Amino acid sequence: MARSALLNVMVQSALKAGRSLARDFGEVQNLQVSLKGPADYVSQADRKAETIIKTELMRARPTYGFMGEESSEQKGTDGAHRWIVDPLDGTTNFLHGMPHFAVSIALERNGEIVAGVIYNPSTDELYTAERGGGAFLNDRRLRVAGRKAMSDAVIGTGVPHLGRGHHGKFLVELRHVMGECAGIRRMGAAALDLAYVAAGRLDGFWETPLEPWDMAAGILLIREAGGFVSDTKGGTDMFGSRSVAAGNEYILKGLLELVQRPVPKA
């Protein structure tokens, strides 16, 4: 597969940050036995990975803006371009020694995502996409799953945790979806969940609340793999609504109907 110069920069940034995270992940696993735990160490690993990515990206395109999970947004003199970065998606997994986490980098041009990279250093799986160029896992072209019935579908989601999200609303959505689908998975890294939809491993996905860096690269991957993405209301304001739903044409339609189904009256 041919990559543009910009996508090559993104890939190299993700791989470099991934190598740093992989080294730190080995240390985190050792720290699990300590009473204090590895939380401070993980925060440092997260910030270090973002510094690596930002340094690489800004060296290549110093006029672009930068939005990262670990730093305040930096406006670019370019005006049209912005990097959107999550240096460690799946922090809780990382913290607990679970090898399901990723680096996520997206490039936004005039409000549209035009390139995306998601990299899991634990599995050495590199997901890449450019607008109009398709989506790939390493060198293999991706296509979303072709299942049409919700009863055959495995759906991914994110479960609101302590102090975050509307737990009651989610439980209603969960009840509606799990009653109609073949299974639900909660794996703890939204970027990878979206990549799994692009790869056909999950048939669909929904979650709220999310931040732009959680979903930017994954949105493009799914679209370039032939899938569809919306917010949970069926609109296109994923960043503004802080929500996302995805699948092929049929699964997304069914998923949105279930997520939006009114709460039954007692």
Side-chain angles (χ1 to χ4, degrees):
M1 55 167 288
R3 294 177 182 147
S4 70
L6 273 175
L7 187 60
N8 275 326
V9 168
M10 296 166 69
V11 166
Q12 293 309 311
S13 301
L15 293 177
K16 189 171 182 179
R19 288 192 292 269
S20 176
L21 288 172
R23 289 191 297 269
D24 290 334
F25 184 65
E27 186 62 26
V28 165
Q29 290 176 308
N30 293 332
L31 289 171
Q32 287 298 330
V33 297
S34 71
L35 181 63
K36 180 179 178 182
D40 291 341
Y41 188 84
V42 171
S43 295
Q44 293 171 23
D46 200 344
R47 289 192 295 269
K48 182 167 61 175
E50 181 163 312
T51 298
I52 290 170
I53 295 167
K54 187 173 184 179
T55 299
E56 294 293 315
L57 295 180
M58 300 310 287
R59 179 185 296 134
R61 293 294 188 276
T63 62
Y64 287 11
F66 186 93
M67 172 191 279
E69 182 181 16
E70 296 302 313
S71 59
S72 58
E73 184 172 358
Q74 177 179 320
K75 300 291 185 182
T77 57
D78 171 278
H81 295 86
R82 177 173 66 162
W83 302 112
I84 303 176
V85 172
D86 191 343
L88 175 53
D89 182 62
T91 306
T92 302
N93 287 347
F94 191 97
L95 174 66
H96 286 266
M98 299 179 189
H100 189 79
F101 56 89
V103 177
S104 179
I105 304 172
L107 176 62
E108 183 183 63
R109 177 180 296 138
N110 295 318
E112 296 290 330
I113 306 301
V114 296
V117 172
I118 296 172
Y119 177 57
N120 182 350
S122 294
T123 59
D124 199 31
E125 289 188 331
L126 176 69
Y127 298 86
T128 58
E130 289 188 273
R131 189 168 63 180
F136 296 83
L137 168 51
N138 296 332
D139 293 324
R140 178 173 65 85
R141 186 75 177 255
L142 295 182
R143 195 74 186 169
V144 295
R147 298 177 186 87
K148 296 182 179 181
M150 284 295 293
S151 58
D152 297 326
V154 172
I155 305 295
T157 190
V159 178
H161 53 75
L162 181 66
R164 185 183 184 202
H166 193 314
H167 294 204
K169 180 176 181 294
F170 171 77
L171 289 173
V172 171
E173 294 173 358
L174 180 63
R175 180 170 59 179
H176 290 158
V177 176
M178 74 182 192
E180 300 288 341
C181 73
I184 290 180
R185 301 290 181 268
R186 199 287 194 199
M187 294 181 284
L192 276 177
D193 289 339
L194 293 169
Y196 277 23
V197 174
R201 295 173 176 176
L202 290 171
D203 297 285
F205 178 80
W206 95 99
E207 185 173 356
T208 185
L210 286 176
E211 300 297 341
W213 48 78
D214 295 316
M215 51 179 153
I219 287 170
L220 183 67
L221 276 163
I222 292 170
R223 287 173 172 166
E224 289 298 321
F228 296 83
V229 185
S230 74
D231 58 36
T232 53
K233 299 293 186 183
T236 59
D237 188 19
M238 285 76 77
F239 289 1
S241 69
R242 301 177 66 213
S243 70
V244 69
N248 65 28
E249 178 183 2
Y250 305 96
I251 298 301
L252 178 58
K253 182 176 183 291
L255 181 58
L256 288 173
E257 288 175 354
L258 292 169
V259 170
Q260 296 170 18
R261 183 178 290 176
V263 180
K265 294 181 179 180

